[in-house]
Amino acid sequence: MKPKIGVIIPTFNRKELINIAIDSVLKQDYKNFEICIVDDGSEIPVKNFIPKNEKIHIITFEENRGVNAARNTGVKYFLKRDVDFVTFIDDDDEFCENAFSEFVKDYNQYKKDWFVYKVKEKNILVVDGIVDTGRTLNGFLKLVHQYGATSIKL
C-alpha cells in the first residue's frame, strides 16, 4: 500500500520558523503527501511569503482562533481530500527526511490506526493501545500536544 499522507501545519506569526517545518516535509524521501497550512490570523499572512507549490494548500483565518481551531480546520480539509492518513507538525518543528517512509513501513507491518512520532528525537514510535478509532478528535489533539506529532488513519 502506498498511502497518501496529509500534513497539517498550524501557524501564527512564525514567519522566521515555518519555512523550516515546510522544508522538512518537502524534503521527505516519500513523496505521496500534501500539506495544509492553517494560518491562524498572522499579522503577515503566510500566503504572502510561502512560495507557490502544488503540494501546499493554505487556509487563512482573518483573526486568531487558537491552535485547536487551526488543527480542526486542517482535519476537516483532509476529510474532503483523497488522503489515507493525517499528521501534524508544529511550525517550529521538523521531520527527519525519512519520517514518512518509515511511517508507511511501520503501518504496513503493524496495521495500526494511530501512530505517534517523537519529533525531537527524529524517530517513529508505534504506541500500542492507541489504536482505538473510536477516540474523539479532542483526545487525539491531546496526544498531539503531548507527543509533538501524531498520525491517524482516515
Side-chain angles (χ1 to χ4, degrees), residues 7-26:
V7 182
I8 300 167
I9 307 176
T11 189
F12 176 69
N13 288 337
R14 291 282 183 92
K15 181 179 179 182
E16 299 79 25
L17 297 173
I18 191 167
N19 283 311
I20 295 169
I22 294 168
D23 287 345
S24 79
V25 177
L26 294 174

Side-chain angles (χ1 to χ4, degrees), residues 10 40 61 65-73 137-138 141-142 145:
D40 191 15
F61 293 167
R65 294 170 45 195
V67 70
N68 287 339
R71 287 183 179 135
N72 287 340
T73 298
L137 184 58
N138 234 5
L141 293 174
K142 285 179 185 173
H145 179 73

Side-chain angles (χ1 to χ4, degrees), residues 8 13 27 30-32 40 49 51 53-54 62 69 87-89 95-98 105 110 118 127 138 144:
I8 300 167
N13 288 337
K27 290 179 181 175
Y30 183 87
K31 300 297 184 189
N32 195 18
D40 191 15
F49 60 85
N53 184 309
E54 65 183 24
E62 294 300 317
T87 190
F88 300 84
I89 184 168
F95 285 122
C96 61
E97 291 179 0
N98 67 339
K105 182 180 81 173
Y110 297 106
K118 288 187 174 181
V127 179
N138 234 5
V144 171

Side-chain angles (χ1 to χ4, degrees), residues 1 8 11-12 16-17 24 28-29 42 51 59-60 68 72 76 80 88 99 103-104 108 126-128 135 138 151:
M1 176 183 179
I8 300 167
T11 189
F12 176 69
E16 299 79 25
L17 297 173
S24 79
Q28 289 297 304
D29 61 359
S42 297
I59 298 172
T60 304
N68 287 339
N72 287 340
K76 289 174 187 173
K80 298 175 186 173
F88 300 84
F103 164 76
V104 170
N108 287 329
V126 176
V127 179
D128 291 327
R135 288 183 184 242
N138 234 5
S151 295

Side-chain angles (χ1 to χ4, degrees), residues 111-115 127-137 139-140 143 151-153:
K111 301 296 186 199
K112 303 291 185 184
D113 292 329
W114 293 65
F115 290 82
V127 179
D128 291 327
I130 305 179
V131 296
D132 179 10
T133 58
R135 288 183 184 242
T136 65
L137 184 58
F140 177 65
L143 289 171
S151 295
I152 184 171
K153 187 174 189 295

